[in-house]
Amino acid sequence: MAGNSQRRGATRKAGTKKGARVGTGGHSRRALEGKGPTPKAEDRPYHVAHKRKVEAEKGATSGRPSSGRPAAGASRSAAGRKGGRTSSTHEIVGGRNSVLEALRAGIPVSTVYIASRLEADDRTKEIVSIAADARYPLLEVGRAELDRLTDGAVHQGVAIQVPPYEYLDPDDLLDTAEASQTTPLIVALDGVTDPRNLGAVLRSAGAFGAHGVLVPERRAAGVTASAWKVSAGAAARVPVARATNLTRALQELRAAGVFVVGLDAGGDVPLADLPFATDPLVLVVGSEGKGLSRLVREQCDAIASIPIASAVESLNAGVAAGIALYEVARQRA
């Protein structure tokens, strides 16, 4: 035993490490080769990006939305708005009237959601009937799921998933008027950023026979689920056109023979004497508080005002547009 210990000690003193092998120069070459480039986050099963990718793929194949997080690179501008949520491909619209009007108008629908144990009425029965005839996917879900889909908005137990709204060009609105063989009537919104106001304008436009609504592409409300909700389905009947530059679009409409009348509290013409009402007309409504912008005002052939009882009060865009459209309809009648 003592001899063995002496031999082991002598070996260590000679400089031979424990566990070392003779000729180790090539044994670690494979370790130095590496494992290749680092995989992308979405390709690593343990990474949260991979889980989101899998959820998104499941949602795309099943027609149901994923966890509600916008995909990487997707627009988040409308995410989380009350009344609906916009993803990169679809939007949720809730409410019995809005859903029924949308289905009646034949807009594309990806999925129809019905709450479990829903107390049916004539509207829900027609919703189910239209969805069945059109062969839309019909899913029965819990109310908690509907609350999540609509971001807590009042959905009345029904909701639909629809593709993003397809905007027209400003010239298309004149084509719509020509096809109807009636005098063109268009509502333009200048700086209106609340989609609920846009929805109210769409509802008034549909009620008084306007051929469409014109909105700027930037710094303006778009047709979101919130606008759908307030419009009570009018967004399915009244087209909306988007202009890259509202001032230029108004110039082109004037060149086509359309008169432009702005609505502003400081207008020099009372609404009862609204000019050009029986001619091809664009009514321009400004934002509450700021009114019409300078460049847009310069394109107006006249500025009309709506008399109100108090100078400190103001009308929002939806109410002002409804009153002005009524006056145009009255004069045209």
Side-chain angles (χ1 to χ4, degrees):
M1 293 293 292
N4 291 338
S5 298
Q6 291 175 355
R7 284 195 294 271
R8 284 197 297 269
T11 302
R12 293 192 186 101
K13 290 177 181 179
T16 303
K17 296 180 180 180
K18 182 178 181 181
R21 291 178 294 176
V22 178
T24 59
H27 289 292
S28 298
R29 186 176 303 163
R30 182 176 300 174
L32 296 175
E33 292 178 355
K35 299 182 181 180
T38 303
K40 296 180 180 179
E42 58 264 27
D43 295 331
R44 286 178 259 169
Y46 55 84
H47 201 282
V48 65
H50 177 77
K51 297 178 181 179
R52 293 179 182 174
K53 177 182 177 183
V54 172
E55 290 178 358
E57 291 175 349
K58 290 181 180 179
T61 55
S62 65
R64 297 187 63 176
S66 60
S67 61
R69 300 184 183 95
S75 171
R76 301 171 188 239
S77 60
R81 286 177 181 161
K82 186 176 181 181
R85 177 172 58 251
T86 300
S87 68
S88 58
T89 55
H90 293 86
E91 185 169 0
I92 299 296
V93 176
R96 299 187 183 188
N97 287 335
S98 299
V99 168
L100 181 55
E101 289 291 339
L103 292 175
R104 284 175 176 173
I107 69 169
V109 175
S110 301
T111 309
V112 179
Y113 299 96
I114 301 292
S116 302
R117 300 178 181 177
L118 178 66
E119 184 177 347
D121 61 8
D122 293 339
R123 291 172 297 176
T124 57
K125 291 177 182 177
E126 187 174 353
I127 288 171
V128 173
S129 176
I130 295 175
D133 292 341
R135 297 184 178 180
Y136 294 139
L138 184 62
L139 297 180
E140 184 175 326
V141 297
R143 287 190 175 271
E145 176 67 6
L146 275 175
D147 291 341
R148 187 188 69 82
L149 288 170
T150 58
D151 281 351
V154 179
H155 50 71
Q156 299 174 305
V158 294
I160 54 175
Q161 188 182 58
V162 300
Y165 188 86
E166 295 184 5
Y167 296 92
L168 300 182
D169 292 327
D171 292 343
D172 295 332
L173 299 181
L174 293 181
D175 295 337
T176 301
E178 184 178 359
S180 66
Q181 298 182 348
T182 56
T183 305
L185 176 58
I186 299 169
V187 180
L189 302 182
D190 179 22
V192 176
T193 58
D194 191 340
R196 293 171 296 183
N197 269 334
L198 173 57
V201 170
L202 285 169
R203 191 169 187 175
S204 296
F208 295 110
H211 298 103
V213 175
L214 176 61
V215 298
E217 186 174 331
R218 298 178 181 178
R219 294 185 293 275
V223 185
T224 64
S226 182
W228 267 98
K229 181 75 173 179
V230 177
S231 76
R237 303 187 304 273
V238 180
V240 178
R242 245 180 181 172
T244 304
N245 185 295
L246 181 60
T247 302
R248 189 178 303 118
L250 293 176
Q251 289 175 345
E252 294 173 353
L253 287 171
R254 291 182 71 190
V258 180
F259 292 95
V260 178
V261 174
L263 297 179
D264 193 273
D268 51 5
V269 178
L271 186 65
D273 299 326
L274 182 71
F276 314 116
T278 58
D279 298 310
L281 178 64
V282 176
L283 284 172
V284 187
V285 183
S287 62
E288 184 178 357
K290 294 182 179 180
L292 299 174
S293 63
R294 178 182 60 83
L295 294 177
V296 168
R297 180 185 286 268
E298 291 175 355
Q299 297 302 316
C300 295
D301 297 295
I303 305 294
S305 62
I306 301 174
I308 55 178
S310 174
V312 299
E313 298 294 338
S314 61
L315 302 176
N316 64 34
V319 174
I323 295 173
L325 285 169
Y326 168 78
E327 178 60 27
V328 172
R330 187 188 68 81
Q331 291 194 33
R332 289 189 175 188

